[in-house]
Amino acid sequence: MKPAWHIARHVTFLKSNLLPVVIERMDTKKLDLGLLVTLEALLAEGNVTRAARRLNLSQPALSARLARLRDALGDPLLIPAQRGMVLTQRAVELQQPLHEALEGVRRVVADGAPFDPATMQATLVIAASDYQQYALLTRFSVALRTEAPMVRIAWRTLDVLALAAQLERGEVDLALATPNHAPAAMRQRQLYRENYTVIARQGHPAVQDHLSLDVFCALEHVVVSLQGGGFSGATDAALEAVGRRRTVALSTPGFLIVPEVVSQSDMIALVPRRLADGWADRLQVLEPPLAIPGVTVASVWHDRTTNHPAQRWLRERLTTLAAEG
């Protein structure tokens, strides 16, 4: 384990090197590591209620800490604005160096502390589409009941438009998304590549274990639009490249309902192969009659959780499960 002076050195850095010009009036004797962690949360969230939730504190307790920080720093840090609160200029200037210094403390602690998944307590909020919940998160959640039984997991529906804000506010710890849906400022790691296959009902009058391009274009399709209401995608771009078009009759915001719809109609659909394999005994699973680009599925997270021991272990375990197929 790292000796205590390693941590003390980082705490000393926090108090003496946080932009000395900016904090010349700071009374460092009034600060401790807990207050600095509180300050980091307040600056990241820009909101007392969200910061309290992130730190698992009551709002009155967080407000009391904010008052102490204001007294020590000689600055209000958060001031009322037309919509909520905004950071003062001094708070903005403190935000990045404070985060970097605290990350140094976290690395020292993480490198020296014993870590046992079987006894760790954590809550992990994961945002993913229903298909990714089916294809990967089900196995992940079941595995953790044995390997990390004190970890709670919450699944949330992936909202690509809100994802950046959710990760920044700590409402979501980890997301599964394609790289083009991952916010640019977030960290990401490739989990697996996914290809698409065509599904059609058993006994379909126009589909008998083979699908020509002419039949593919003539039949009605079901498509998935994660944001809702979309009627085109990568398949339509591939068709357009060869001078063809298809008819889309139904758009849904989720994948898991698609096989059920296809099984009860003459509509067909392109779905991820991992989903189609689960219906191979009830549907025809066919190769597309033209090349349809596959997709990469990645894990996405905010930089502040990169060195958190529990979060890091959970990400690694998810990566391992994804590699196992």
Side-chain angles (χ1 to χ4, degrees):
M1 181 177 293
K2 298 284 186 181
W5 64 266
H6 276 270
I7 299 176
R9 182 181 63 186
H10 281 280
V11 175
T12 299
F13 171 84
L14 282 166
K15 291 187 174 183
S16 61
N17 293 283
L18 283 176
L19 291 176
V21 174
V22 177
I23 60 175
E24 58 186 3
R25 298 192 307 277
M26 178 186 293
D27 184 356
T28 58
K29 293 180 181 179
K30 296 181 179 180
L31 291 172
D32 56 34
L33 190 57
L35 272 182
L36 292 172
V37 171
T38 299
L39 177 59
E40 179 192 36
L42 282 165
L43 299 185
E45 300 294 348
N47 180 281
V48 172
T49 301
R50 291 199 299 266
R53 188 183 306 123
R54 175 170 164 178
L55 296 171
N56 197 26
L57 294 171
S58 67
Q59 188 164 333
L62 197 284
S63 296
R65 291 192 181 189
L66 175 57
R68 291 174 60 192
L69 285 164
R70 285 169 166 166
D71 177 57
L73 296 172
D75 187 89
L77 300 173
L78 293 169
I79 56 177
Q82 187 173 4
R83 294 184 178 179
M85 307 284 282
V86 296
L87 302 184
T88 64
Q89 181 60 34
R90 197 174 189 192
V92 172
E93 292 170 338
L94 283 170
Q95 189 170 12
Q96 186 59 31
L98 175 64
H99 173 72
E100 291 175 357
L102 283 172
E103 280 297 289
V105 174
R106 293 183 182 110
R107 281 192 293 272
V108 171
V109 174
D111 289 344
F115 180 75
D116 182 5
T119 59
M120 72 174 176
Q121 299 184 41
T123 297
L124 185 68
V125 180
I126 309 177
S129 71
D130 60 344
Y131 145 67
Q132 290 153 353
Q133 293 169 10
Y134 169 86
L136 180 56
L137 292 188
T138 297
R139 289 189 295 124
F140 178 62
S141 300
V142 171
L144 289 189
R145 299 330 312 139
T146 300
E147 300 169 17
M150 300 178 72
V151 172
R152 300 187 306 172
I153 301 176
W155 294 355
R156 290 187 60 160
T157 301
L158 179 68
D159 184 341
V160 295
L161 297 179
L163 182 58
Q166 290 172 339
L167 289 166
E168 288 173 358
R169 292 196 296 262
E171 296 172 2
V172 168
D173 299 305
L174 190 66
L176 304 186
T178 57
N180 61 305
H181 285 153
M186 302 300 161
R187 297 218 180 188
Q188 60 176 278
R189 180 175 184 177
Q190 179 173 332
L191 293 176
Y192 61 90
R193 285 283 299 172
E194 181 65 281
N195 296 316
Y196 287 97
T197 190
V198 180
I199 54 174
R201 71 174 176 87
Q202 297 283 4
H204 195 297
V207 181
Q208 297 297 328
D209 299 322
H210 174 73
L211 193 62
S212 68
L213 183 58
D214 287 339
V215 172
F216 181 82
C217 293
L219 292 175
E220 294 183 326
H221 289 241
V222 183
V223 301
V224 174
S225 171
L226 293 180
Q227 298 178 28
F231 286 90
S232 63
T235 301
D236 300 279
L239 285 169
E240 185 177 351
V242 295
R244 304 297 294 267
R245 297 182 63 184
R246 64 174 175 169
T247 299
V248 176
L250 174 64
S251 171
T252 81
F255 287 91
L256 296 189
I257 193 61
V258 174
E260 187 66 38
V261 172
V262 168
S263 72
Q264 299 181 37
S265 70
D266 286 339
M267 290 185 283
I268 63 173
L270 274 126
V271 297
R273 182 170 294 278
R274 284 169 174 79
L275 176 58
D277 287 346
W279 283 76
D281 60 336
R282 290 161 285 177
L283 295 172
Q284 297 183 68
V285 179
L286 310 160
E287 289 299 318
L290 76 166
I292 306 296
V295 295
T296 296
V297 176
S299 55
V300 184
W301 68 94
H302 193 282
D303 184 60
R304 70 167 169 268
T305 66
T306 293
N307 295 307
H308 189 281
Q311 296 269 353
R312 183 169 56 191
W313 184 87
L314 289 164
R315 288 194 302 268
E316 291 296 331
R317 189 66 187 95
L318 183 66
T319 301
T320 300
L321 276 176
E324 293 172 355

